[in-house]
Amino acid sequence: MNSIRHGKSRRTETNLGAERDHFDKQQLSSIGKAINSSEMPVKEKHARRIILGTHREKGAYTFWSYALGFPLAGSSILSWKFCHVLHKVLRDGHRNVLQDCMRHHSSLVEIGRLWSNLHDKYGQLVVLYTKLLCTKMEFHVKHSEIPANLEATDEVLERTAGTDINNVFQLTVEVFDYLDAELRLAETVIRQLNTSIAISTLSSGQCRLSPLIQVIQDCSHLYHFTVKLLFKLHACLPADTLQGHRDRFHDQFHSLKTFFNKTRDMMYFKRLIQIPKLPDSPPNFLHAASLAKHVKPVVVIPDEYEPEQQEDDDDDPEPLIEVSDVSTSSLQPQPQQLDIFDQTFGPPNGGFDDRDLQIERQKQEIELLRAELEKVKAEAQRYITQLKSQINSLEAELEEQRAQKQHALVENEQLRMELEATRRRNAEHESTQAVFIEAENRAQSTEQRYNKLREKHTELVSSHAELLRKSADTVKMLSATQQTQEEVERTKQQLSFEVDRIKHDADMKLEEQKFEMEKLKRELEEKMAEVMRVKGTLQSSEMTSEQMNSSLMAVQAEKERLMRSVSEKEAELSSLRQTAQAQQSSLQTERERSSRELGELQGKLQEKTSLEEQLSQKLLDEQFSLLQGTITEAENIIQDAVAKLDDPLHIRCTSSPDYLVSRAEAALGSVDKVKKGHADYLSNMGDAGGLLRALTQFSHLAGDTIINGSATAHTAPPDHADRLTENCRGCATQSLLFFKDLKSKTTLQRADPASIRVIVQKILHLGQELRPKGMDVRQDELGDMVDKEMAATSAAIEEAVRRIDEMMDQARKDTSGVKLEVNERILNSCTDLMKAIRLLIISSTDLQKEIVESGRGAASIKEFYARNSRWTEGLISAAKAVGWGATEMVESADKVVLHTGKYEELIVCSHEIAASTAQLVAASKVKAERNSKRLTVLQQASRHVNEMAANVVASTRTGKEHLEEKETMDFSGMSVIKLRKEEMESQVKVLELESQLENERLRLGELRKKHYEVVGVPSEQVSEGNGETTLLDHPVTMSPKLSKPALFKKPALAQKPNVSPKTTFK
């Protein structure tokens, strides 16, 4: 019986080896028949056997071991059929096939690159097919939830896309690329089919068309994914943002519909696949209800039995279930052979001896123990096999992760020179440490960090927009050189922001890879624990074996006592002892093998631990190298700013002390951030994010301070200009020294920005000293002054209206006829103008209240006025100008009515009132919302004031023309000499008047320069701003000249209503 069982085990091992050989032989035969150089389509039965083989061995090791031996570089048809079979294996093979194929990703790329350089029709198809397969593998490795056959439910797609709209956007782009690769291959195949005048019934055409069945299956699912993702994007993002996505989808929709229609008409596909029909028009993503009308296209493969003739013995179907070859006869109990001694002499005492019964029981126990030992051995062998396969898969995944990690390191090396790279990397690194401790909170912390960054970005954008609005007036007065410089700075900021976004994406990828490494490490530890459990199982097996040995020894002793009478049983017992020893030696061998494998795993774990330490040290070195790169760029910014001080082109640039003060204050704040970031970096050398952000901000602010300090010095007195220039150079020197200390590890500890703070404070004090004296108003008094000035302006308007009414009554008493008519017309127009101004003041007050309520937040009204002091001062100045203009108009009107004044005075007062009200409207418009209704009312009131001012000017000129007496010029009695003399005298008067007019224009220009110097605008800016386009392109003048020199034109700050003079002079 023992020999029979030994024979069974040997036959089982022989059968397993034979089955493996048969499997390898059948796979080699199927692969060889499916992938060959004949221009015939791949037979379905060969591809099916290859796919079943991947399910049997749970991978594609055998397929790739045979496929790599094909001469793919020598035959384009062979490469085409190889790509077709690989596509089938990816779609229908075992799920581990994808990981096995990714190890040969580079081989596919090389095949595509090789055939791209050769002019061959099948070669062109191979290039597109390899690109499609690479895209397919990369997509499914990244999104492992979606299987390679794309048969995923809508719930799986929603889970893969997630709730982050950026992930949904990126997934949509990847699906677009995936579908583009499928369509390019299909279009090229159909185009070659048409050009070669082949039909689908020929073998050459079928060889090209057969892979399109898998393409049609992929395209139907990808189209459905695209529609779902686009509807989800349109539910979260504005339509203008997704215009490019819609255009790309429409192109793919029409291409896919054309492809389906062409293939549906081909005879080859009618019996193999049922192609769905797409709708006549693409879905309307702008209408959410259109999603309910969308129907998922379904591809149906008919289940038709296709009789296939077996060509040779290798085409026999492979059994999927292992069947033991033990014959049923061996399982039946064999008749018990009688002992020869008992047959000859008969049993002792006429029956069985008790010792014989004991021997039989011992034999049965030995057989049971042997069966138990066989089970333990088989279980141990199964465990060892499973562990080996798991170790192989883990090693493959680890190799893949190592390649991905190497790729990420290369990308980080390329992006190292960018300045803003580490802002988000260090923040993400801190969050990674938290993820290692508490993996369950990783998603929530990442979402919160993203929301904070988005809120910070929004705040920065709003703050930037607010600063742009505040500096609008100053920017208008800057020269063309300074405007170009500011545009360059804004472009740099935008590029910096784009670089930050790109680096953020790279850091997120690195973080995901690190997390995957940790996950693999934890899985390796679990496998190690499982190995330890198997080791315990083996030890228990050893104990069982020892117990069995002890039992055998007892049986042997018993047999020695019994062998004196039964010599035949001794040989059998000795053979059993030898068998037990052989089994014990085999168990010892297995234990030693397991120990060696355990030692190898421990060695690999130690290697991975040392690799992690090396990566940590490399990360520290990269942090310091990034710090050095940031410092180098900061030095370039400071040196560029210092170079501007000696640049001849920079001499024409000017700046206001207020802007210099704001830049200096911001630079002081950045110095504190640099100091704090430096301290944080010294405490934690692995986190340089705070210091890098602070250095970047400080370098830009310090450069702005130096440039604006030099520009301010161009308009300052000599003493202040020299000190300001010297302090700007000192600021640059101290900054460069501080940067030099930071660049070296030896001087990093003693680097201190205190000296920079002292220099910047000096620049700040000089800027405060250079502020115009008219602005020395306490900040807490600005709110009260606004209310007082608006009230005083309203009172002045009311007083002006009252006085005009009194003058109207007095004129009716004292004058009559034409004079009364002229005076009434002038006074009525003045009254209408005052009423329009009063409505303008009321509208401005309402808009001002709205601005204060919407902008002050939790602060008080006075704090809002103090925070926006420049805007408040502009309101005060405009209100004063309106009140003063109203008063002056009343005085001029009184003089005109009493014939003691000039009509021109009334015209000039009208112009001044229009300019003052325009200034008031401009000051109110700066802070108002774009869609404010009160702003619209204020603008209408401003236009009404301009119309009334024009009426005053027109009525004044008309009245002047009516009252002036025109003398009739009669030159009929003059001789030629007399006429010539009168002509010369008239020319002399004209020249005298022109000279007086030129002198008055010069005087007017100087007065305006002095006026702007008093209100705080440098004369150089006034001269440069005279050439700017204003609301009054043609100032009103009585001179016959069409225009005056640009030096004497009034700047944009004093806008006048555009009242064109009459073209007809009597």
Side-chain angles (χ1 to χ4, degrees):
M1 293 178 67
N2 188 22
S3 61
I4 291 174
R5 288 187 177 88
H6 280 291
K8 291 180 182 178
S9 62
R10 285 193 296 270
R11 282 197 299 271
T12 303
E13 294 176 357
T14 303
N15 290 335
L16 290 176
E19 287 180 4
R20 181 63 190 179
D21 294 339
H22 178 68
F23 171 76
D24 292 340
K25 181 179 179 182
Q26 190 179 44
Q27 286 292 302
L28 177 59
S29 175
S30 299
I31 293 172
K33 291 179 180 180
I35 305 174
N36 50 50
S37 58
S38 61
E39 195 172 5
M40 298 284 291
V42 177
K43 289 188 177 181
E44 187 64 26
K45 62 179 182 179
H46 300 148
R48 187 185 305 114
R49 288 171 184 169
I50 296 172
I51 293 171
L52 291 176
T54 62
H55 285 281
R56 177 174 178 178
E57 66 175 355
K58 297 181 176 57
Y61 305 108
T62 304
F63 172 76
W64 278 105
S65 62
Y66 292 150
L68 291 177
F70 287 117
L72 299 178
S75 174
S76 58
I77 299 178
L78 189 68
S79 301
W80 171 251
K81 298 177 77 171
F82 165 73
C83 293
H84 183 195
V85 174
L86 180 59
H87 196 175
K88 280 178 169 288
V89 170
L90 283 173
R91 279 188 54 85
D92 303 326
H94 193 270
R95 61 178 178 272
N96 294 335
V97 167
L98 181 62
Q99 300 297 332
D100 297 338
C101 292
M102 278 303 295
R103 299 191 188 97
H104 304 280
H105 181 276
S106 58
S107 300
L108 284 176
V109 175
E110 288 298 329
I111 292 171
R113 185 180 296 112
L114 170 67
W115 287 108
S116 64
N117 298 324
L118 302 176
H119 298 287
D120 185 87
K121 289 188 177 182
Y122 273 101
Q124 297 174 5
L125 299 179
V126 171
V127 173
L128 297 177
Y129 215 158
T130 53
K131 290 182 180 178
L132 169 59
L133 294 176
C134 292
T135 304
K136 185 180 185 68
M137 290 190 293
E138 293 167 359
F139 178 84
H140 291 291
V141 167
K142 184 175 181 181
H143 305 287
S144 57
E145 299 87 352
I146 302 176
N149 58 8
L150 295 171
E151 293 179 357
T153 61
D154 293 343
E155 291 76 10
V156 174
L157 181 62
E158 287 289 336
R159 188 165 60 253
T160 304
T163 57
D164 190 354
I165 195 64
N166 293 323
N167 294 338
V168 179
F169 194 93
Q170 182 62 28
L171 179 60
T172 307
V173 175
E174 292 173 0
V175 174
F176 275 144
D177 297 339
Y178 197 165
L179 187 55
D180 278 338
E182 301 272 2
L183 291 175
R184 279 197 295 269
L185 175 61
E187 290 172 356
T188 307
V189 169
I190 294 176
R191 185 170 59 251
Q192 285 194 8
L193 196 64
N194 293 335
T195 54
S196 63
I197 318 178
I199 58 177
S200 61
T201 57
L202 297 180
S203 60
S204 60
Q206 293 178 358
C207 184
R208 288 184 174 92
L209 291 176
S210 56
L212 296 188
I213 296 177
Q214 284 71 41
V215 174
I216 293 171
Q217 292 176 318
D218 289 346
C219 288
S220 64
H221 294 289
L222 291 174
Y223 170 75
H224 178 65
F225 291 168
T226 307
V227 173
K228 287 288 186 180
L229 292 174
L230 282 179
F231 271 112
K232 186 172 184 179
L233 282 177
H234 280 78
C236 302
L237 295 176
D240 295 340
T241 306
L242 301 173
Q243 182 62 42
H245 276 40
R246 290 196 300 275
D247 295 341
R248 189 174 182 183
F249 175 79
H250 290 167
D251 294 339
Q252 290 184 348
F253 174 81
H254 294 298
S255 299
L256 182 61
K257 186 174 181 180
T258 303
F259 168 51
F260 280 3
N261 292 336
K262 287 182 178 180
T263 54
R264 194 181 298 111
D265 296 335
M266 292 184 181
M267 293 297 297
Y268 176 70
F269 294 104
K270 289 185 178 181
R271 64 183 181 87
L272 296 177
I273 187 172
Q274 183 177 345
I275 304 173
K277 291 185 178 181
L278 296 181
D280 295 334
S281 60
N284 186 9
F285 298 107
L286 302 179
H287 190 241
S290 299
L291 179 59
K293 303 177 182 178
H294 168 66
V295 178
K296 179 179 179 180
V298 178
V299 177
V300 178
I301 303 294
D303 295 332
E304 295 182 359
Y305 178 77
E306 185 177 345
E308 298 177 359
Q309 215 173 15
Q310 294 184 352
E311 298 174 357
D312 49 23
D313 295 335
D314 294 337
D315 291 344
D316 293 337
E318 179 183 0
L320 299 180
I321 301 175
E322 296 181 1
V323 182
S324 177
D325 61 347
V326 179
S327 63
T328 57
S329 63
S330 64
L331 298 179
Q332 296 177 356
Q334 296 182 357
Q336 186 177 3
Q337 297 179 357
L338 299 177
D339 195 348
I340 300 175
F341 182 82
D342 292 339
Q343 291 177 359
T344 306
F345 299 100
N349 298 327
F352 287 101
D353 191 14
D354 293 338
R355 289 176 296 180
D356 292 334
L357 296 176
Q358 291 179 0
I359 291 173
E360 289 297 329
R361 285 197 297 268
Q362 292 295 331
K363 287 181 179 180
Q364 292 176 0
E365 291 178 0
I366 290 172
E367 292 300 330
L368 292 176
L369 290 175
R370 185 179 291 110
E372 187 68 23
L373 182 61
E374 289 293 337
K375 290 182 181 179
V376 171
K377 183 178 179 181
E379 188 71 18
Q381 183 65 29
R382 188 171 62 85
Y383 284 155
I384 290 172
T385 304
Q386 291 179 356
L387 287 175
K388 285 182 179 179
S389 63
Q390 291 176 359
I391 289 171
N392 291 332
S393 62
L394 286 175
E395 288 178 351
E397 293 177 359
L398 185 61
E399 184 67 25
E400 180 184 355
Q401 292 297 327
R402 185 180 292 111
Q404 293 180 358
K405 182 178 179 181
Q406 186 66 26
H407 182 65
L409 289 176
V410 172
E411 290 182 354
N412 292 334
E413 186 68 21
Q414 293 175 353
L415 297 171
R416 181 189 294 178
M417 299 307 294
E418 302 296 337
L419 291 178
E420 300 295 332
T422 57
R423 288 185 176 179
R424 291 179 174 81
R425 175 187 290 181
N426 292 282
E428 298 299 330
H429 181 67
E430 295 174 357
S431 65
T432 305
Q433 299 297 330
V435 169
F436 291 160
I437 299 172
E438 196 171 1
E440 295 178 354
N441 298 328
R442 177 180 177 276
Q444 296 178 359
S445 62
T446 305
E447 186 68 20
Q448 292 174 0
R449 182 164 57 254
Y450 174 74
N451 292 332
K452 289 180 181 179
L453 290 174
R454 184 170 57 190
E455 292 172 1
K456 186 65 178 176
H457 176 259
T458 306
E459 292 175 2
L460 290 175
V461 172
S462 60
S463 176
H464 181 63
E466 184 178 358
L467 290 175
L468 288 177
R469 287 195 298 270
K470 288 182 180 180
S471 61
D473 294 337
T474 306
V475 171
K476 290 181 180 179
M477 293 185 293
L478 291 178
S479 63
T481 306
Q482 187 172 1
Q483 290 177 354
T484 305
Q485 183 180 0
E486 290 181 355
E487 291 177 358
V488 172
E489 292 294 329
R490 286 195 297 269
T491 305
K492 287 182 179 179
Q493 292 177 1
Q494 293 176 358
L495 292 175
S496 175
F497 177 75
E498 292 296 328
V499 171
D500 292 343
R501 183 177 63 78
I502 296 172
K503 289 305 298 171
H504 173 63
D505 295 338
D507 295 338
M508 289 294 291
K509 292 181 180 178
L510 181 59
E511 178 188 350
E512 292 176 358
Q513 293 166 3
K514 290 182 178 179
F515 179 73
E516 290 297 330
M517 283 194 63
E518 280 298 322
K519 183 177 179 182
L520 288 174
K521 187 183 293 182
R522 288 195 297 271
E523 292 179 357
L524 185 58
E525 291 176 355
E526 293 176 358
K527 299 305 179 183
M528 290 295 297
E530 189 173 354
V531 170
M532 295 301 294
R533 288 196 297 270
V534 174
K535 186 177 181 182
T537 305
L538 293 175
Q539 291 177 356
S540 65
S541 300
E542 290 178 6
M543 294 177 64
T544 305
S545 177
E546 291 176 358
Q547 293 175 1
M548 185 188 67
N549 290 332
S550 63
S551 299
L552 290 175
M553 293 298 294
V555 172
Q556 185 178 2
E558 185 67 21
K559 284 194 299 181
E560 287 177 356
R561 290 192 299 268
L562 296 175
M563 283 300 294
R564 294 170 187 175
S565 58
V566 186
S567 59
E568 291 84 357
K569 304 296 181 182
E570 185 177 1
E572 185 178 356
L573 291 175
S574 63
S575 65
L576 290 173
R577 185 167 57 251
Q578 292 175 359
T579 302
Q581 291 177 357
Q583 292 175 353
Q584 184 178 4
S585 63
S586 64
L587 288 176
Q588 183 67 24
T589 304
E590 292 296 333
R591 184 169 61 252
E592 291 176 357
R593 185 184 304 169
S594 300
S595 300
R596 288 196 300 272
E597 292 177 354
L598 182 60
E600 292 176 357
L601 290 175
Q602 290 178 351
K604 291 181 180 180
L605 182 60
Q606 291 177 357
E607 291 179 0
K608 291 176 176 57
T609 305
S610 62
L611 180 60
E612 288 294 332
E613 294 177 354
Q614 293 176 2
L615 290 176
S616 301
Q617 183 62 34
K618 188 174 182 179
L619 181 61
L620 293 176
D621 296 339
E622 288 182 354
Q623 292 286 325
F624 187 72
S625 62
L626 288 173
L627 177 62
Q628 288 181 331
T630 305
I631 293 173
T632 302
E633 187 63 25
E635 289 178 345
N636 294 334
I637 293 174
I638 298 298
Q639 291 172 357
D640 182 68
V642 175
K644 292 289 196 307
L645 299 180
D646 299 327
D647 191 356
L649 299 177
H650 185 63
I651 297 176
R652 292 178 54 83
C653 298
T654 59
S655 180
S656 64
D658 291 326
Y659 189 67
L660 175 61
V661 169
S662 66
R663 293 291 88 193
E665 290 175 349
L668 282 177
S670 65
V671 170
D672 296 334
K673 293 181 181 178
V674 169
K675 188 173 182 180
K676 183 178 181 301
H678 180 245
D680 295 340
Y681 179 68
L682 292 178
S683 62
N684 184 13
M685 302 293 287
D687 182 12
L691 181 58
L692 294 178
R693 289 191 293 270
L695 284 175
T696 303
Q697 183 184 17
F698 168 73
S699 61
H700 287 285
L701 292 175
D704 289 345
T705 304
I706 294 172
I707 293 174
N708 287 282
S710 174
T712 305
H714 295 160
T715 60
D719 186 20
H720 288 78
D722 295 339
R723 285 191 294 162
L724 188 58
T725 304
E726 187 64 29
N727 286 328
C728 290
R729 296 183 185 275
C731 178
T733 302
Q734 295 298 327
S735 300
L736 294 175
L737 290 176
F738 176 65
F739 292 157
K740 183 178 180 181
D741 293 339
L742 288 179
K743 289 180 69 174
S744 176
K745 291 185 177 180
T746 57
T747 59
L748 181 63
Q749 299 283 342
R750 67 169 183 266
D752 188 10
S755 57
I756 302 176
R757 168 181 283 278
V758 175
I759 297 296
V760 176
Q761 286 178 344
K762 291 181 180 180
I763 295 175
L764 177 62
H765 293 328
L766 286 173
Q768 292 174 348
E769 291 178 3
L770 290 174
R771 277 182 168 178
K773 303 303 179 181
M775 297 182 184
D776 296 336
V777 181
R778 292 176 54 189
Q779 299 292 329
D780 54 355
E781 297 177 358
L782 289 175
D784 297 334
M785 288 186 64
V786 172
D787 296 336
K788 291 178 182 179
E789 290 300 330
M790 297 301 288
T793 302
S794 300
I797 298 299
E798 295 293 339
E799 180 64 21
V801 172
R802 187 186 61 79
R803 289 191 57 187
I804 289 174
D805 292 338
E806 293 178 355
M807 286 187 287
M808 180 71 73
D809 296 337
Q810 187 66 31
R812 289 171 180 170
K813 294 178 182 179
D814 298 340
T815 58
S816 62
V818 178
K819 290 185 179 180
L820 177 59
E821 181 181 356
V822 170
N823 292 336
E824 285 182 348
R825 187 179 302 153
I826 293 175
L827 293 177
N828 286 333
S829 61
C830 291
T831 303
D832 294 339
L833 178 59
M834 292 302 163
K835 291 179 180 178
I837 294 173
R838 181 169 59 185
L839 292 176
L840 179 70
I841 295 298
I842 295 173
S843 302
S844 177
T845 305
D846 294 340
L847 180 59
Q848 175 189 343
K849 291 178 181 178
E850 178 183 347
I851 292 170
V852 172
E853 289 300 327
S854 62
R856 67 188 182 91
S860 62
I861 296 177
K862 290 185 178 181
E863 291 176 353
F864 175 79
Y865 283 126
R867 189 169 61 246
N868 302 275
S869 58
R870 295 301 302 272
W871 176 70
T872 307
E873 290 170 359
L875 280 178
I876 294 171
S877 175
K880 285 183 178 179
V882 171
W884 175 80
T887 305
E888 289 297 321
M889 171 168 276
V890 171
E891 296 295 335
S892 300
D894 191 14
K895 292 179 181 179
V896 169
V897 171
L898 297 176
H899 302 289
T900 59
K902 298 180 179 180
Y903 291 96
E904 287 78 6
E905 295 178 359
L906 191 58
I907 295 174
V908 172
C909 287
S910 300
H911 291 170
E912 289 296 329
I913 288 177
S916 301
T917 54
Q919 181 182 356
L920 181 60
V921 172
S924 301
K925 188 177 180 181
V926 170
K927 289 286 184 179
E929 296 292 338
R930 180 177 297 178
N931 299 325
S932 176
K933 295 181 179 179
R934 294 184 178 180
L935 175 61
T936 304
V937 174
L938 180 62
Q939 292 174 344
Q940 292 176 355
S942 174
R943 289 192 289 268
H944 186 51
V945 168
N946 288 335
E947 292 175 359
M948 294 301 103
N951 291 337
V952 172
V953 174
S955 59
T956 304
R957 288 179 174 171
T958 303
K960 179 181 178 183
E961 292 174 358
H962 288 171
L963 295 178
E964 286 181 349
E965 296 181 357
K966 300 296 187 297
E967 295 181 0
T968 303
M969 297 182 183
D970 185 12
F971 305 110
S972 59
M974 292 185 180
S975 61
V976 176
I977 300 301
K978 184 66 174 178
L979 287 172
R980 191 64 178 271
K981 183 178 180 182
E982 290 293 334
E983 182 181 351
M984 292 178 62
E985 291 177 356
S986 178
Q987 289 180 356
V988 170
K989 289 182 180 180
V990 168
L991 292 176
E992 290 176 354
L993 292 175
E994 287 181 351
S995 177
Q996 292 177 5
L997 177 61
E998 195 68 26
N999 293 332
E1000 287 299 325
R1001 285 177 174 168
L1002 290 173
R1003 184 170 178 272
L1004 177 60
E1006 294 297 328
L1007 288 173
R1008 286 177 175 170
K1009 286 184 182 180
K1010 188 64 179 177
H1011 172 259
Y1012 289 122
E1013 289 177 0
V1014 171
V1015 299
V1017 180
S1019 59
E1020 289 83 354
Q1021 295 185 18
V1022 174
S1023 300
E1024 294 175 1
N1026 285 333
E1028 298 291 335
T1029 303
T1030 64
L1031 294 178
L1032 183 61
D1033 294 334
H1034 303 284
V1036 177
T1037 177
M1038 298 302 294
S1039 173
K1041 293 183 178 180
L1042 294 178
S1043 62
K1044 56 184 178 180
L1047 180 63
F1048 306 113
K1049 289 184 179 180
K1050 195 168 184 178
L1053 289 178
Q1055 299 173 353
K1056 299 294 180 76
N1058 188 7
V1059 180
S1060 58
K1062 290 188 176 182
T1063 56
T1064 304
F1065 292 93
K1066 296 181 181 180

Short mmCIF file of all heavy atoms in Angstrom, two decimals, residues 827-845:
data_model
loop_
_atom_site.label_atom_id
_atom_site.label_comp_id
_atom_site.label_asym_id
_atom_site.label_seq_id
_atom_site.Cartn_x
_atom_site.Cartn_y
_atom_site.Cartn_z
N LEU A 827 -29.72 134.90 -16.17
CA LEU A 827 -30.00 134.48 -14.79
C LEU A 827 -30.80 133.19 -14.75
O LEU A 827 -30.60 132.36 -13.85
CB LEU A 827 -30.75 135.61 -14.06
CG LEU A 827 -29.93 136.89 -13.83
CD1 LEU A 827 -30.78 137.95 -13.17
CD2 LEU A 827 -28.71 136.61 -12.97
N ASN A 828 -31.72 133.00 -15.70
CA ASN A 828 -32.47 131.74 -15.74
C ASN A 828 -31.53 130.54 -16.01
O ASN A 828 -31.67 129.47 -15.42
CB ASN A 828 -33.56 131.78 -16.82
CG ASN A 828 -34.73 132.66 -16.39
OD1 ASN A 828 -35.00 132.82 -15.20
ND2 ASN A 828 -35.41 133.25 -17.35
N SER A 829 -30.59 130.75 -16.94
CA SER A 829 -29.63 129.66 -17.21
C SER A 829 -28.75 129.39 -15.99
O SER A 829 -28.44 128.22 -15.68
CB SER A 829 -28.77 130.01 -18.43
OG SER A 829 -28.02 131.20 -18.18
N CYS A 830 -28.38 130.48 -15.26
CA CYS A 830 -27.59 130.28 -14.04
C CYS A 830 -28.41 129.53 -12.98
O CYS A 830 -27.89 128.65 -12.27
CB CYS A 830 -27.11 131.61 -13.48
SG CYS A 830 -25.86 132.44 -14.51
N THR A 831 -29.70 129.88 -12.87
CA THR A 831 -30.55 129.18 -11.91
C THR A 831 -30.68 127.70 -12.27
O THR A 831 -30.60 126.82 -11.39
CB THR A 831 -31.94 129.84 -11.89
OG1 THR A 831 -31.81 131.23 -11.56
CG2 THR A 831 -32.83 129.16 -10.85
N ASP A 832 -30.88 127.40 -13.56
CA ASP A 832 -30.95 125.99 -13.98
C ASP A 832 -29.64 125.25 -13.69
O ASP A 832 -29.66 124.08 -13.28
CB ASP A 832 -31.26 125.90 -15.48
CG ASP A 832 -32.64 126.44 -15.80
OD1 ASP A 832 -33.47 126.50 -14.87
OD2 ASP A 832 -32.89 126.81 -16.97
N LEU A 833 -28.53 125.94 -13.89
CA LEU A 833 -27.24 125.31 -13.58
C LEU A 833 -27.11 125.00 -12.10
O LEU A 833 -26.66 123.91 -11.70
CB LEU A 833 -26.10 126.22 -14.05
CG LEU A 833 -24.67 125.71 -13.75
CD1 LEU A 833 -24.43 124.36 -14.41
CD2 LEU A 833 -23.62 126.73 -14.23
N MET A 834 -27.54 125.95 -11.25
CA MET A 834 -27.45 125.72 -9.80
C MET A 834 -28.36 124.56 -9.37
O MET A 834 -28.02 123.75 -8.50
CB MET A 834 -27.82 127.00 -9.04
CG MET A 834 -26.79 128.10 -9.22
SD MET A 834 -25.16 127.55 -8.68
CE MET A 834 -24.13 128.78 -9.46
N LYS A 835 -29.54 124.48 -9.96
CA LYS A 835 -30.43 123.36 -9.62
C LYS A 835 -29.81 122.02 -10.05
O LYS A 835 -29.90 121.03 -9.33
CB LYS A 835 -31.78 123.57 -10.31
CG LYS A 835 -32.58 124.73 -9.75
CD LYS A 835 -33.90 124.88 -10.49
CE LYS A 835 -34.73 126.05 -9.93
NZ LYS A 835 -36.00 126.23 -10.68
N ALA A 836 -29.18 122.02 -11.24
CA ALA A 836 -28.53 120.78 -11.69
C ALA A 836 -27.37 120.40 -10.76
O ALA A 836 -27.17 119.23 -10.44
CB ALA A 836 -28.02 120.94 -13.12
N ILE A 837 -26.63 121.43 -10.29
CA ILE A 837 -25.53 121.15 -9.37
C ILE A 837 -26.07 120.62 -8.05
O ILE A 837 -25.48 119.70 -7.43
CB ILE A 837 -24.68 122.41 -9.15
CG1 ILE A 837 -23.97 122.80 -10.46
CG2 ILE A 837 -23.65 122.21 -8.05
CD1 ILE A 837 -23.24 124.12 -10.38
N ARG A 838 -27.19 121.17 -7.60
CA ARG A 838 -27.77 120.68 -6.34
C ARG A 838 -28.19 119.21 -6.47
O ARG A 838 -27.94 118.40 -5.57
CB ARG A 838 -28.99 121.55 -5.97
CG ARG A 838 -29.64 121.12 -4.65
CD ARG A 838 -30.65 122.13 -4.20
NE ARG A 838 -31.68 122.31 -5.21
CZ ARG A 838 -32.66 123.23 -5.14
NH1 ARG A 838 -32.73 124.04 -4.11
NH2 ARG A 838 -33.56 123.32 -6.10
N LEU A 839 -28.80 118.85 -7.60
CA LEU A 839 -29.13 117.44 -7.81
C LEU A 839 -27.87 116.57 -7.87
O LEU A 839 -27.87 115.43 -7.37
CB LEU A 839 -29.92 117.29 -9.12
CG LEU A 839 -31.33 117.90 -9.14
CD1 LEU A 839 -31.94 117.75 -10.52
CD2 LEU A 839 -32.22 117.24 -8.09
N LEU A 840 -26.81 117.12 -8.46
CA LEU A 840 -25.55 116.37 -8.52
C LEU A 840 -24.99 116.14 -7.12
O LEU A 840 -24.51 115.04 -6.79
CB LEU A 840 -24.53 117.13 -9.39
CG LEU A 840 -23.15 116.46 -9.52
CD1 LEU A 840 -23.25 115.21 -10.35
CD2 LEU A 840 -22.15 117.42 -10.13
N ILE A 841 -25.07 117.17 -6.26
CA ILE A 841 -24.55 117.02 -4.89
C ILE A 841 -25.36 115.97 -4.14
O ILE A 841 -24.82 115.13 -3.41
CB ILE A 841 -24.60 118.38 -4.16
CG1 ILE A 841 -23.63 119.36 -4.83
CG2 ILE A 841 -24.22 118.21 -2.69
CD1 ILE A 841 -22.19 118.94 -4.80
N ILE A 842 -26.68 115.99 -4.33
CA ILE A 842 -27.53 114.99 -3.65
C ILE A 842 -27.19 113.58 -4.14
O ILE A 842 -27.05 112.65 -3.35
CB ILE A 842 -29.03 115.32 -3.89
CG1 ILE A 842 -29.39 116.66 -3.22
CG2 ILE A 842 -29.90 114.20 -3.35
CD1 ILE A 842 -30.79 117.14 -3.56
N SER A 843 -27.05 113.42 -5.46
CA SER A 843 -26.71 112.09 -6.01
C SER A 843 -25.34 111.64 -5.53
O SER A 843 -25.13 110.46 -5.20
CB SER A 843 -26.73 112.14 -7.54
OG SER A 843 -28.00 112.54 -8.02
N SER A 844 -24.38 112.58 -5.46
CA SER A 844 -23.04 112.22 -4.98
C SER A 844 -23.06 111.81 -3.52
O SER A 844 -22.37 110.87 -3.10
CB SER A 844 -22.08 113.41 -5.19
OG SER A 844 -20.81 113.12 -4.67
N THR A 845 -23.90 112.51 -2.70
CA THR A 845 -23.99 112.14 -1.29
C THR A 845 -24.58 110.75 -1.13
O THR A 845 -24.09 109.92 -0.32
CB THR A 845 -24.86 113.17 -0.54
OG1 THR A 845 -24.30 114.49 -0.76
CG2 THR A 845 -24.89 112.87 0.95
#
